[in-house]
Amino acid sequence: MADSAGAKNDNSIMESPPVSPLSGREKPPESPGSRSRYQVSAPGHSFRKVTLTKPTFCHNCSDFIWGLNGFVCEVCNFMCHEKCLKMVRTVCSCMAPTQVRVPVAHCFGPAGQKKRFCCVCRKHLEGNTAVRCEVCELHAHYDCATFSCGDCRLCHQDGSQDFDTFPHHWREGNIPSGARCEVCRRTCSSSDVLAGMRCQWCGITTHAACYLIVPPECGLGRLRNMLLHPACVRICSRNFSKMHCYRISESYQNELGKLVSVGLVTGRLQQVLKVFDGDDAVKRSHFRLVSIPRITKNVEVVESALRAFYIPDDPLEYELKDNGQQSLVDDDILNHNGTPDKAIFKENVPEAWLLRAKPQETEVLSIYAGWLKVIVAYISISKNSTVDSVIKEVLTQLGKQVQVTTVLVHYIQSRKCHHNIECGSSSILRFACLSVCVEGAVVLQISCFSEAERIYMLAKDTSVSNQQLTSLVLPEIMHNKLPKGDSPLLVFVNPKSGELKGRELLYGFRKLLNPHQVFDMTNGGPLSGLHTFRAVPRFRVLVCGGDGTVGWVLGVLEAIRHKLVCLEPPVGIVPLGTGNDLARILRWGAGYSGEDPHHILVSVDEAEEVQIDRWTILLDAQEITDDGKENGFLEPPKIVQMNNYFGLGIDAEVSLDFHHARQEEPGKFNSRFHNKGVYLKAGLQKLSHTRNLHKDLKLQVDKQDIELPSIEGLIFLNIPSWGSGADLWGSEGDSRYGKPRIDDGMLEVVGVTGVVHMGQVQSGMRSGIRLAQGNYVRITATKPIPVQVDGEPWIQAPGHIIISAAGPKVRMLRKYKHNDGGQ
């Protein structure tokens, strides 16, 4: 917990009273804020010499500190050797905000399970009290996050920025183990302290003392060809939080903020005060616990409170007041009783205190510019006028003119699609000029900031047919600024897939790429991403999810293909589902098992393009008599798309039982191993059932009648993988049929005799019964029958089923063999 920031000493050090700047009974002539015995080149630090009581490492060079003495900053806990004092370049946490040229807010979410260190107080993150930025590698305790400076990655322009060069974006600590310094080639990572620097764009790592030697311009690293360059993205984000701009879900409500009210704690040598930073902090119950000695002075208490809030100002300019607005006096903490040498602690110290700045004759405002090309970090203005006059004065000093910009807001009406994934239907709204792209969504483009915010919030809080609308803020990609030869990657992630590992992938891709090119599938579906990339002349798509998620993206891509400049973007897969049959034949593996997201992106960049057939299935439900005559419609016809396979009978029946079990208890189906166990159980329950599927179906392939043997399941294959990797067609040569291919425009028709036969196929002992090959299939069912398309089952009424080619082939990305780990 970061409330220890008020008491900065941890168990590894012991203060040396003779050299502590707070020791001594005589008040020094300088102000307490400027007292520091050891001066360093980096601003803000207040180092003191301490005696080490356990093994400790230097934050500057990450080496072990030999001997008993070290030097620690009493504000941010920066620990170093004496020899490293002169080489410290990392500024103190209290001064870090003053070094930011372009403030960008962080998007905090729940932290992962790996060992990390707080970027504010530099201490280890323990338990569940940690958060991390969804965009950059900033980790912090929950109550330290408030004091982190707004130095998140700048991922877009807002209409007033002008990029001349693109500098490195350095983040200290929490870098991969074994990382080496780009300058001296020595190891710069550490699992013991917050040490080392890493560029959040290109990924190079250096020591804290070496990174200033690196040329300032960033080359964006290995992933530059698939990265959506920030200079090519424009979005007016002034009225929206970065969570809205990056389409990050706000459903996460951090329960860590509900801190238990802690009263005054007294001990033999220390006491803890609860300090609020003003009236607003009291209303929100946001406070810091400040640990002070039982015997101390008023000015030293104020100084400790300032350090707890990472305020580097002079303590003489601040005061502490209790809830009754009574100022802190010496008798509240230290009772001299006329004899300073004999201090006596008073027991009636108030529980909570308010930290306030003393009234000044002339108050000064520090105004930070929101664009890059400024000579100074901020402008100081006397607070003696109106807001309008202050803005005019600042703009005059910075030589900046007011500009009118636009904002793009996208909202989608949620619904349940055929694949049982919470998805967006399709349609988009444009502010000022209304253009409907596809049914279900609208895109609005608004030039007024306040109006854009009002409409966005209105759409966000609106329900249609008892379903909440999804409201999204979309960026504009300036495709004419994209570097030649670049093919940015559009990433879709289903965070609920893959034993919930999709959540970690979503975070990993946002960190490595521009978050504007990474989309959460549960937040509006694939339409929002495809609409954002509609004018990009060349791009690739990466889908992280199961076969159903891949089919969903391919279906929407097919529906809006005519609205894209890039008509056929190739699609890669990160398998997060249970079967992952399409990913298997494209060499992406049987399932995601925690690979490094950077390695995944490199494999996508090196992947080769292949084509795959897609098929349209027309389900025309009609009442069929025993003699095969039609007797009226039972339900309206429907059309579905098929990528992998289409099954009727026992195969679909087992899938349907599995689907019903998952619907009843969805929380239990977050493990691939558990899912396969439930599927096996559903199959075993069907052993005693007998079906005569050949009596209920009539099959035509390429207008030729196919006589069906005694089978219980009929399966149509588009790819040579079925039921989590089984080869149902088999590898034996047969002069009657050609060798199956994923792009030959042919379907393979196979039969199975029952559950035992299916189990033998999946174990590799047998193959299915080969029945036919063709590109046009017509099936007549005389009874209701279970069917499944790419693993999504339902009961189909009797009638006709027609399977035919679905227009142009789909371009997919296939992993190179030398990158697939032997698969």
Side-chain angles (χ1 to χ4, degrees):
M1 191 111 159
D3 55 24
S4 58
K8 293 295 178 182
N9 306 325
D10 65 15
N11 295 330
S12 66
I13 60 177
M14 217 165 42
E15 290 187 25
S16 301
V19 295
S20 173
L22 292 182
S23 62
R25 295 191 175 94
E26 295 183 3
K27 184 177 180 181
E30 69 271 19
S31 66
S34 64
R35 289 179 295 172
S36 179
R37 179 168 178 174
Y38 304 97
Q39 300 294 332
V40 296
S41 57
H45 289 295
S46 180
F47 282 102
R48 70 174 182 271
K49 192 174 185 179
V50 292
T51 300
L52 305 177
T53 60
K54 68 179 183 180
T56 309
F57 293 83
C58 177
H59 289 198
N60 185 67
C61 66
S62 70
D63 289 339
F64 184 76
I65 300 179
W66 296 95
L68 299 177
N69 295 327
F71 293 83
V72 64
C73 174
E74 56 188 359
V75 178
C76 70
N77 299 312
F78 191 99
M79 175 70 70
C80 68
H81 300 93
E82 183 175 9
K83 65 179 182 180
C84 290
L85 280 176
K86 296 181 180 180
M87 296 184 291
V88 174
R89 297 292 182 268
T90 305
V91 299
C92 184
S93 298
C94 66
M95 295 297 295
T98 64
Q99 308 296 310
V100 179
R101 298 295 296 269
V102 182
V104 180
H106 293 287
C107 302
F108 286 114
Q113 301 299 321
K114 295 182 179 179
K115 181 180 179 181
R116 291 290 186 266
F117 294 90
C118 177
C119 292
V120 180
C121 73
R122 311 184 71 89
K123 293 187 176 183
H124 181 247
L125 298 175
E126 298 178 352
N128 298 320
T129 61
V131 295
R132 69 180 176 189
C133 179
E134 297 280 340
V135 178
C136 70
E137 191 70 13
L138 187 137
H139 291 73
H141 295 99
Y142 175 75
D143 54 349
C144 280
T146 306
F147 305 101
S148 61
C149 57
D151 62 342
C152 191
R153 284 189 297 157
L154 185 65
C155 299
H156 60 258
Q157 301 185 59
D158 68 354
S160 59
Q161 298 168 355
D162 186 9
F163 293 98
D164 288 338
T165 60
F166 196 72
H168 291 287
H169 187 96
W170 297 107
R171 174 73 64 218
E172 184 184 12
N174 298 318
I175 60 180
S177 60
R180 292 190 175 274
C181 178
E182 188 75 11
V183 177
C184 66
R185 305 311 302 171
R186 295 175 56 201
T187 301
C188 58
S189 62
S190 175
S191 59
D192 302 294
V193 292
L194 187 75
M197 308 291 288
R198 182 178 185 273
C199 175
Q200 294 297 292
W201 287 111
C202 66
I204 64 172
T205 55
T206 69
H207 291 100
C210 296
Y211 82 99
L212 294 177
I213 305 176
V214 178
E217 188 170 357
C218 181
L220 300 180
R222 172 65 179 82
L223 305 176
R224 61 184 178 276
N225 292 332
M226 62 172 55
L227 186 72
L228 185 60
H229 199 290
C232 305
V233 184
R234 180 168 56 196
I235 185 172
C236 297
S237 56
R238 300 176 186 176
N239 274 41
F240 302 98
S241 72
K242 290 297 181 294
M243 302 286 281
H244 296 153
C245 295
Y246 300 144
R247 303 162 305 279
I248 296 176
S249 174
E250 296 177 289
S251 60
Y252 170 69
Q253 300 294 332
N254 201 317
E255 297 295 331
L256 306 174
K258 300 178 181 179
L259 299 175
V260 179
S261 179
V262 180
L264 177 66
V265 180
T266 60
R268 297 182 60 186
L269 298 176
Q270 294 281 91
Q271 66 173 330
V272 179
L273 302 179
K274 186 162 61 175
V275 180
F276 295 89
D277 185 16
D279 294 331
D280 184 62
V282 174
K283 295 178 181 179
R284 293 181 288 114
S285 190
H286 286 183
F287 59 87
R288 301 285 278 179
L289 297 180
V290 179
S291 178
I292 58 173
R294 287 182 49 127
I295 302 175
T296 187
K297 298 179 181 179
N298 179 358
V299 68
E300 294 173 354
V301 178
V302 176
E303 184 178 25
S304 297
L306 289 174
R307 285 173 178 162
F309 287 101
Y310 299 96
I311 299 175
D313 298 344
D314 191 340
L316 297 179
E317 298 178 357
Y318 290 82
E319 61 183 355
L320 286 173
K321 294 185 176 182
D322 62 15
N323 286 332
Q325 300 297 307
Q326 297 295 322
S327 297
L328 176 71
V329 295
D330 286 341
D331 286 344
D332 290 325
I333 301 297
L334 178 65
N335 188 347
H336 292 284
N337 286 336
T339 308
D341 293 336
K342 296 181 180 179
I344 302 175
F345 174 70
K346 286 188 69 173
E347 299 293 341
N348 59 349
V349 178
E351 175 183 345
W353 295 87
L354 273 67
L355 180 64
R356 295 184 180 278
K358 293 180 180 179
Q360 303 291 330
E361 294 182 2
T362 303
E363 296 189 21
V364 177
L365 299 176
S366 296
I367 310 297
Y368 288 80
W371 51 89
L372 286 176
K373 297 186 66 176
V374 293
I375 301 176
V376 294
Y378 60 88
I379 299 294
S380 297
I381 301 293
S382 298
K383 186 181 175 182
N384 54 6
S385 186
T386 62
V387 173
D388 290 339
S389 62
V390 169
I391 293 176
K392 290 179 180 178
E393 185 176 352
V394 171
L395 292 175
T396 302
Q397 293 190 35
L398 295 175
K400 193 71 179 176
Q401 301 296 325
V402 179
Q403 297 182 359
V404 177
T405 54
T406 60
V407 67
L408 185 67
V409 172
H410 168 191
Y411 69 87
I412 303 175
Q413 179 181 354
S414 296
R415 65 175 175 86
K416 283 280 187 179
C417 73
H418 172 66
H419 295 294
N420 291 303
I421 305 172
E422 191 66 30
C423 69
S425 64
S426 31
S427 110
I428 306 185
L429 290 192
R430 230 178 149 148
F431 288 178
C433 77
L434 188 68
S435 62
V436 177
C437 295
V438 190
E439 181 185 0
V442 187
V443 176
L444 300 173
Q445 187 173 353
I446 302 177
S447 57
C448 174
F449 291 148
S450 58
E451 186 67 10
E453 183 181 28
R454 186 186 70 83
I455 293 180
Y456 171 81
M457 299 306 295
L458 179 63
K460 185 178 179 181
D461 297 334
T462 301
S463 297
V464 175
S465 300
N466 296 323
Q467 292 190 0
Q468 196 77 18
L469 293 180
T470 300
S471 182
L472 301 175
V473 179
L474 296 182
E476 176 190 0
I477 298 180
M478 297 174 285
H479 58 89
N480 55 337
K481 289 188 176 183
L482 288 170
K484 292 183 178 180
D486 280 10
S487 180
L489 186 67
L490 174 59
V491 181
F492 294 111
V493 182
N494 188 347
K496 296 181 180 179
S497 299
E499 304 174 17
L500 304 181
K501 291 180 180 178
R503 179 71 180 80
E504 288 298 312
L505 270 179
L506 189 65
Y507 163 71
F509 288 140
R510 281 182 179 143
K511 184 182 69 173
L512 293 171
L513 301 172
N514 191 322
H516 288 299
Q517 64 188 112
V518 182
F519 289 77
D520 184 345
M521 292 284 285
T522 61
N523 190 17
L527 181 64
S528 53
L530 293 172
H531 174 77
T532 301
F533 275 64
R534 67 193 182 282
V536 177
R538 183 174 175 229
F539 68 93
R540 290 168 287 182
V541 179
L542 180 63
V543 182
C544 307
D547 289 335
T549 304
V550 176
W552 180 14
V553 173
L554 293 178
V556 176
L557 181 60
E558 179 68 25
I560 66 169
R561 185 190 302 272
H562 62 288
K563 294 184 177 293
L564 302 177
V565 174
C566 180
L567 296 178
E568 297 182 357
V571 181
I573 304 173
V574 177
L576 297 181
T578 301
N580 303 314
D581 289 291
L582 184 57
R584 292 171 190 265
I585 62 104
L586 294 175
R587 302 185 188 141
W588 294 108
Y592 175 72
S593 56
E595 291 87 351
D596 184 1
H598 185 272
H599 293 164
I600 294 175
L601 294 177
V602 171
S603 297
V604 172
D605 193 37
E606 297 176 347
E608 60 180 343
E609 294 185 11
V610 297
Q611 290 187 325
I612 185 172
D613 299 322
R614 293 188 80 233
W615 301 85
T616 297
I617 303 177
L618 173 64
L619 301 131
D620 188 9
Q622 298 181 3
E623 185 177 355
I624 306 295
T625 61
D626 294 337
D627 56 0
K629 296 182 179 180
E630 301 173 0
N631 191 20
F633 292 98
L634 295 178
E635 57 184 49
K638 62 180 178 180
I639 298 176
V640 296
Q641 303 293 327
M642 185 262 284
N643 304 304
N644 300 350
Y645 38 73
F646 171 55
L648 305 91
I650 183 61
D651 169 42
E653 190 174 343
V654 174
S655 296
L656 189 62
D657 289 349
F658 172 83
H659 174 67
H660 289 160
R662 183 168 54 183
Q663 280 188 325
E664 292 176 0
E665 297 179 293
K668 293 184 178 181
F669 288 79
N670 55 8
S671 166
R672 191 178 295 118
F673 181 78
H674 176 267
N675 293 354
K676 290 184 177 180
V678 175
Y679 194 90
L680 176 61
K681 180 181 178 181
L684 294 176
Q685 292 174 346
K686 303 297 180 182
L687 285 174
S688 59
H689 294 259
T690 57
R691 303 159 193 82
N692 296 315
L693 190 65
H694 59 286
K695 296 181 180 180
D696 302 329
L697 294 180
K698 293 181 180 180
L699 174 64
Q700 283 186 345
V701 178
D702 292 341
K703 297 185 179 181
Q704 292 185 2
D705 293 334
I706 305 297
E707 184 178 354
L708 296 177
S710 178
I711 57 175
E712 294 189 14
L714 186 63
I715 300 157
F716 301 85
L717 299 172
N718 183 44
I719 61 175
S721 179
W722 166 85
S724 301
D727 185 3
L728 187 60
W729 180 260
S731 57
E732 299 85 3
D734 192 332
S735 59
R736 297 175 299 170
Y737 309 109
K739 185 178 180 179
R741 292 172 51 91
I742 60 175
D743 60 349
D744 59 358
M746 303 286 284
L747 284 175
E748 286 69 50
V749 186
V750 187
V752 291
T753 59
V755 174
V756 175
H757 188 185
M758 291 169 55
Q760 292 173 335
V761 170
Q762 290 185 331
S763 63
M765 298 173 59
R766 292 180 61 185
S767 58
I769 302 173
R770 297 178 182 179
L771 298 176
Q773 258 185 336
N775 56 19
Y776 182 83
V777 176
R778 183 182 182 92
I779 307 166
T780 303
T782 58
K783 294 181 180 180
I785 186 172
V787 300
Q788 61 96 359
V789 176
D790 294 343
E792 301 296 332
W794 70 93
I795 298 294
Q796 177 62 29
H800 299 293
I801 301 174
I802 298 175
I803 309 175
S804 60
K809 303 179 189 297
V810 179
R811 296 169 66 192
M812 304 294 292
L813 293 173
R814 183 168 62 189
K815 191 175 183 181
Y816 274 123
K817 286 185 178 180
H818 68 272
N819 284 330
D820 63 2
Q823 293 170 359

